[in-house]
Amino acid sequence: MLLENKYYKIVHSKVEGLNAVYRIVFLPHCDVYRGHFPGNPVCPGVCNIETIKECAMLLAGSKLLISTIKQCRLAAVASPVLCPEVTVTVSLSPTDKGYTVTASIADTERTYMEYKGNMMYKDKK
């Protein structure tokens, strides 16, 4: 399930080659926040990983699957209330089957997630 326009919305993007910065807003009325947590919504780590994957797919112009997560550091709790707008920074390095991806989710005050891993083309083996 794609989360774009359900869980988050891209409001600005800057792309230079295989590097991009996406400014996103979390959509607080998303059903995800009903379970995480009513009255005190937080962004689940798995949704942050999916957001990074979707931004990497947008940058790559291809559907991708996560093949390996080498590092996924949840440095702070993101929330649509406390940090409604964040920056997703993505860098791609081509590999034989896809890309090595380095990414982060942050705002001006803190980094919420740092990610490093490999993503492969969905339709190639």
Side-chain angles (χ1 to χ4, degrees):
M1 176 178 126
L2 294 178
L3 297 179
E4 185 178 6
N5 297 320
K6 296 176 183 83
Y7 175 76
Y8 71 91
K9 180 179 180 176
I10 297 172
V11 294
H12 183 264
S13 62
K14 180 179 179 184
V15 177
E16 293 181 6
L18 293 178
N19 301 294
V21 177
Y22 298 99
R23 193 84 178 141
I24 68 168
V25 292
F26 293 117
L27 302 175
H29 299 297
C30 178
D31 288 341
V32 167
Y33 298 118
R34 289 187 191 167
H36 291 85
F37 293 94
N40 187 24
V42 298
C43 301
V46 69
C47 291
N48 290 343
I49 293 170
E50 178 65 19
T51 299
I52 286 171
K53 183 186 94 173
E54 291 179 20
C55 289
M57 290 191 318
L58 185 61
L59 179 58
S62 300
K63 290 185 179 182
L64 300 171
L65 298 172
I66 296 172
S67 55
T68 306
I69 296 176
K70 295 177 182 179
Q71 175 189 9
C72 184
R73 187 169 85 82
L74 300 168
V77 176
S79 163
V81 175
L82 300 175
C83 56
E85 191 169 319
V86 296
T87 299
V88 180
T89 304
V90 180
S91 294
L92 304 179
S93 296
T95 66
D96 290 342
K97 296 183 181 183
Y99 298 95
T100 296
V101 179
T102 303
S104 66
I105 298 175
D107 62 17
T108 56
E109 295 181 22
R110 66 187 53 86
T111 299
Y112 298 97
M113 175 180 275
E114 294 175 332
Y115 174 95
K116 291 181 184 176
N118 293 320
M119 296 186 192
M120 61 185 213
Y121 297 112
K122 185 174 181 178
D123 53 357
K124 294 184 181 180
K125 296 185 180 199

